[in-house]
Amino acid sequence: MTAVLGTPPLPPKSVALLARAGIRSVADLQAYGAAAAFALLRAEGLPVPEAVLWRLGELAAGLPAFSLDESGKQALRARLKRTPPQALFPPAEEAAHFMRLALRQAEQAAAAGEVPVGAVVVRGGQVLAAAANRCVAEHDISRHAEIAALSVAGRALGNYRLEGCDLYVTLEPCAMCAGAVMQSRIRRLIYAAAEPRSGAAGSVLNLFAEPLLNPHTAVQGGVLAAEAGALLQAFFRARRD
């Protein structure tokens, strides 16, 4: 049986937060990564000392507590620097609710002859902005759903930095939109369908994992991916026919 994470060697609050993220056992920790788990604890506001990183590294490697040598610690520090932003993501029902709102925007885009992509910005459970692709209507390549939604949310808050906000979008962002998301300081990006030809959140490249860009956004994909993918396929099938 796989060992369950507990205290000691980890602090009780760290164990509880990791459990909320689905990291309950050593096997879960190994799959998630010790450095990523430590980054998650800090991202969620726990004032964890570096010693917790050592304990996580030891657990993941199957080593006894307090046995990590200096070279092992340096390797974990280096891995932590390369770790993309982490966050606890909304429960599945909540994520599906807001993604359905984005899908409604995508359906409106399809009806208008636009590529069916929709986006919604949420903060504290409240929708700040909802938008669809408008490139054809506005003769503007920058009017992707993500950028349009970020613009509306910025005006609503009186600030282009959307810290503490989530962006739901029905298709993995392209490089242009990924850059806008990072510049806006969106906390969590949740997308539906992957974009294998131009996706910049992991499919073709992952700008959100590039440490030189100082990213601030944690990314989760695959929420209602089948629904979003079916909408896109139907749209392009109709255009070919």
Side-chain angles (χ1 to χ4, degrees):
M1 180 179 290
T2 303
V4 176
L5 297 183
T7 177
L10 298 175
K13 289 183 179 180
S14 296
V15 173
L17 195 149
L18 291 174
R20 287 173 57 198
I23 308 169
R24 298 181 175 87
S25 68
V26 171
D28 295 332
L29 177 62
Q30 290 169 337
Y32 196 89
F38 183 74
L40 174 63
L41 294 174
R42 284 195 165 174
E44 292 300 321
L46 280 188
V48 286
E50 201 174 35
V52 173
L53 176 60
W54 313 149
R55 305 294 83 80
L56 289 167
E58 290 159 351
L59 285 166
L63 298 173
F66 304 98
S67 67
L68 198 67
D69 60 19
E70 190 56 35
S71 64
K73 292 178 180 180
Q74 290 295 345
L76 278 173
R77 287 191 185 103
R79 201 174 308 153
L80 183 62
K81 287 182 179 180
R82 299 191 302 269
T83 297
Q86 304 293 310
L88 282 176
F89 283 92
E93 285 189 9
E94 179 181 333
H97 167 71
F98 289 118
M99 190 61 76
R100 287 192 182 96
L101 299 183
L103 281 167
R104 288 181 197 168
Q105 293 293 317
E107 290 166 355
Q108 293 175 21
E114 304 272 358
V115 175
V117 180
V120 173
V121 177
V122 177
R123 187 174 75 167
Q126 300 296 315
V127 175
L128 295 179
N133 268 3
R134 293 276 298 168
C135 297
V136 176
E138 298 188 20
H139 314 293
D140 186 346
I141 192 59
S142 72
R143 300 313 290 166
H144 284 196
E146 300 96 309
I147 293 178
L150 294 175
S151 297
V152 174
R155 290 194 292 271
L157 294 177
N159 193 336
Y160 74 91
R161 285 195 169 178
L162 306 179
E163 294 174 343
C165 294
D166 298 333
L167 174 65
Y168 290 81
V169 59
T170 60
L171 184 65
E172 180 185 355
C174 65
M176 175 180 71
C177 292
V181 171
M182 288 191 291
Q183 290 291 332
S184 70
R185 301 292 182 94
I186 283 284
R187 180 171 181 246
R188 299 181 295 195
L189 164 68
I190 300 104
Y191 70 85
E195 171 48 277
R197 292 179 297 179
S198 61
S203 290
V204 176
L205 70 162
N206 191 352
L207 293 179
F208 299 98
E210 176 48 67
L212 293 177
L213 296 178
N214 190 27
H216 298 271
T217 304
V219 179
Q220 181 184 60
V223 176
L224 301 188
E227 290 90 331
L231 183 60
L232 285 158
Q233 289 170 6
F235 175 80
F236 287 112
R237 188 183 306 117
R239 292 192 66 174
R240 287 193 299 269
D241 294 344

